[in-house]
Every structure is written in C-alpha cells, then in structure tokens.
Amino acid sequence: MVDSESDLAPVVKSGRFAAFGRLAGWKKALIVLSALVLVIAGGLTGGGFYLYHRYEDRVERAPLMPSLSAEDAKKTEENWASGPLNLLLLGSDSRAEEATSGVSPIGERSDTIMILHISRSRDRAVFISIPRDSYVEVPPGGNWNGGKNKINSAFAFGGAPLTAETVTKLTGVTLDGAMVADFGSIREMVDAVGGVNVCIEYRVRALDTGRVWEPGCHDMDGATALEFVRQRHGVVGGDFGRMHNQQLVVKALIAKVSSSGTLTNPLELDSLLGITAGALTVDEKLDLRDLAFAVRAIRPGDVDFRTVPYTRADLNTSAGTAVQLDAEASTAMFAALAGDTIDQWLAANPPQVQPGT
C-alpha cells in the first residue's frame, strides 16, 4: 500500500462563481482550510459569532450539492444535530497545467478534491484528499453518459453536484455540505500575518525563476509562498509533492495565526477574515453558523491530513495516465469515515512514504 500525507485542503470562488474556473487549482487548495483554521484557532468562538454576522454576506452562495433523497436529507439533518460531519471541499482549474507549462486549456477540472471529516464529538477534524487523477466510476451528467474516468473530470461534466455524486459513489460516505474556494489571495493572506516559516524535507526548484529551496526551514512572504506552492515539476512526486508543499504552507499559516496574536488584533483579524470570506463559495443550504458551532472546540493540533491510499500513479487508461486507488485500503478508510472511526484507522495506518516517492 502506498499512502502519503496530502494536500490541503480545499475549494471555489472569487467574487464571481464563473471566474473561479480561470484561477489555478493550487490557489484554491488552501483557502477553505485557511478559513476553517481561523475558526478552529478561535476566531469564531465565544463572542465571535459577531464575526459570523460581519462576514457572512461576503461569502458567495451557489448550488453545489445534488438533490438529496428523503433518506439522505434526514441523515444529513441528524449528522448536523449530533453525528459526525463530512463536507466536500473542491478546488477547480480551467487548465490542465500551469500557465508556465505552455499547455493549452482543455476545459475545467477540479484540481483539489477533499473530504473534511468532523468527529461526532466535535473535537477532531481530518482532511482526506482524493488524488485528482484517481480512476473511478463517474455517474452520468451533462454530455457524459457515465463510466470510468478520472475523478477530476466530474467537475467538467456536471460541476460540483456531479463531483459530489461521484465522491459519494466512490466512498459510500454521506456528504453533509460542500464548499469551494479560490486562492487567488494566498499572497495577501500570508502577508496579512507577516509571512510564514515553512520547513521542507527535500529540495524544490522553481522552473520559471530558478529559485531553489533546500531542505530546511524558510521564511516566506506572500509572493514567495505563492511561487512555492505552485511548483509541480521541480518537486519530488509531481502533483503529490505539490499537494504536500501546499499542506506545509497551510500548517505554517496555522502556526503563525495561532501564535502571532492575529486572533487578538482586531485590525489584523478583520483583514484576514475579509480576505478569506471573499474567497469562499458555499452550498446554498450550508448554514455557516452551524459550521462555526461544529468546529468551535477544535484547535490546530486536533487537525490531521491524509491522502486516500493508492497503489500506482501511472495507470494506463482511455482517459490518459491515472492514479489507481488501493481498493482494500481505501475501502477501509472510507468505512472508517462513515463510521466515525477514522482516528483509529489513521493510527493503525501511518503514512508509509514521503509524498510522491
């Protein structure tokens, strides 16, 4: 079994939902996590529901979930009341490659697909990343008649609702809401906290500028962090390495927000929350007050990250080279998500290798 700590988190919006697809997926991969981190780190606890009212109108709404059966709707209602929660987090890209690669646009794809699991006890959160090139069954939608394809194609065929349906079919997990973000403002977010310190395990080289980050810890301002997280060809593991680098930047942002006094500085907090709220699109039925309440007791140390186990990333398919998920291990992971025993599963299945190796 190949398993690796993964990317970051997740998914859609800019001031206009339609404009989201024109932004690279790596920009969106952190924004939802960053938004939730502000909640997790204490930004919406106690009297902080004032902040909920202040920023709610800046968050865009859109229909991101498919129509639910009466049974699924009842299950979701029960989960929000007293059960574990599983939220879909998406990041999308209108191009298959970064602009610097010279590859022409081929249609919009979901560049980041994650499930955010919040425990029934509301004291733990786990982000499970599904590799965007996972070869799975994609239900019919739009001009697509259904069949095996890369999971990121679901967004192109039927947007967020078909992606949610695909993830549900793959995992068997009831999804209790969905969020999408654009991370065009990563530079502003990092600069808003005065920069971050990112520690890496391997050498990363920026192909466009030639900048090199050697193993060790590096102070990064917004522009540098943005350049770092967009690299995929000059990093071990390609996309998997890039997901890991994104996670490192988010962890650094979490640490800085938690320790720098940002949460107790009204001007800094207002700036950071304003940037975050302006980058989110959430499902029209998702109650942000309920979400804030659900994560209010979670702290940075209570958040984990993992990628769905896979066996190979060079599977030859009719849709091109794809990722083959580990059927046995991934099925066990999904069952643990559904049964709210994911912490036990993670403890029993530590990452086997560094990302992409």
Side-chain angles (χ1 to χ4, degrees):
M1 178 185 77
V2 178
D3 186 14
S4 65
E5 288 187 354
S6 108
D7 83 290
L8 311 163
V11 281
V12 143
K13 167 193 173 189
S14 101
R16 303 176 184 277
F17 187 72
F20 174 71
R22 296 195 293 272
L23 294 171
W26 57 266
K27 294 179 180 179
K28 297 111 176 176
L30 311 178
I31 189 69
V32 167
L33 176 57
S34 300
L36 293 176
V37 160
L38 294 177
V39 177
I40 289 168
L44 289 177
T45 59
F49 279 107
Y50 158 76
L51 296 175
Y52 159 81
H53 290 295
R54 176 171 172 77
Y55 298 102
E56 181 188 22
D57 290 343
R58 302 190 193 181
V59 174
E60 191 165 326
R61 295 281 183 171
L64 304 180
M65 292 283 290
S67 299
L68 299 179
S69 66
E71 180 180 356
D72 287 341
K74 180 179 179 181
K75 176 64 174 175
T76 291
E77 184 178 352
E78 292 173 350
N79 287 344
W80 278 105
S82 60
L85 294 170
N86 292 288
L87 304 178
L88 179 66
L89 308 181
L90 296 177
S92 160
D93 195 347
S94 63
R95 300 169 297 177
E97 302 285 343
E98 304 295 352
T100 54
S101 69
V103 177
S104 299
I106 62 170
E108 188 170 289
R109 297 289 189 272
S110 52
D111 202 47
T112 299
I113 302 172
M114 305 182 71
I115 297 174
L116 166 62
H117 177 83
I118 301 170
S119 65
R120 177 181 287 104
S121 57
R122 302 294 193 261
D123 59 357
R124 289 281 297 164
V126 181
F127 288 87
I128 302 297
S129 294
I130 304 174
R132 65 177 187 172
D133 288 337
S134 300
Y135 197 57
V136 303
E137 188 74 22
V138 178
N143 295 325
W144 172 249
N145 294 323
K148 298 279 282 188
N149 208 322
K150 295 181 183 181
I151 195 169
N152 67 346
S153 67
F155 199 95
F157 297 137
L162 183 60
T163 305
E165 187 178 350
T166 302
V167 170
T168 297
K169 184 177 183 66
L170 171 67
T171 65
V173 172
T174 298
L175 295 176
D176 303 300
M179 304 175 72
V180 192
D182 92 60
F183 203 57
S185 50
I186 174 62
R187 179 183 310 196
E188 290 84 355
M189 293 190 71
V190 171
D191 285 339
V193 299
V196 295
N197 185 260
V198 180
C199 298
I200 61 178
E201 308 97 324
Y202 42 74
R203 189 175 189 266
V204 177
R205 179 177 181 271
L207 295 187
D208 49 348
T209 66
R211 185 198 297 262
V212 173
W213 293 273
E214 298 292 350
C217 297
H218 303 266
D219 290 325
M220 298 184 184
D221 60 12
T224 304
L226 184 149
E227 181 181 15
F228 176 73
V229 300
R230 77 179 303 171
Q231 303 307 316
R232 62 179 298 189
H233 299 294
V235 61
V236 174
D239 274 337
F240 290 99
R242 178 171 64 168
M243 287 192 297
H244 183 63
N245 289 346
Q246 292 169 342
Q247 178 181 334
L248 293 177
V249 171
V250 166
K251 286 184 174 181
L253 185 60
I254 293 172
K256 188 64 176 287
V257 169
S258 301
S259 64
S260 67
T262 296
L263 296 174
T264 58
N265 184 312
L267 292 179
E268 289 186 7
L269 182 60
D270 181 73
S271 174
L272 199 53
L273 286 175
I275 292 168
T276 299
L280 291 176
T281 294
V282 301
D283 182 66
E284 57 191 1
K285 296 181 180 178
L286 179 59
D287 190 319
L288 291 180
R289 181 192 293 272
D290 287 346
L291 178 59
F293 185 81
V295 302
R296 74 193 188 286
I298 300 174
R299 294 296 178 262
D302 303 325
V303 182
D304 205 347
F305 305 83
R306 195 68 67 87
T307 298
V308 175
Y310 62 97
T311 56
R312 56 187 298 188
D314 60 352
L315 182 67
N316 186 24
T317 76
S318 59
T321 303
V323 172
Q324 180 174 292
L325 298 181
D326 185 318
E328 181 177 354
S330 63
T331 297
M333 173 186 270
F334 298 148
L337 279 177
D340 196 28
T341 58
I342 188 63
D343 283 345
Q344 294 92 314
W345 190 92
L346 294 177
N349 297 272
Q352 299 297 305
V353 296
Q354 292 297 328
T357 60

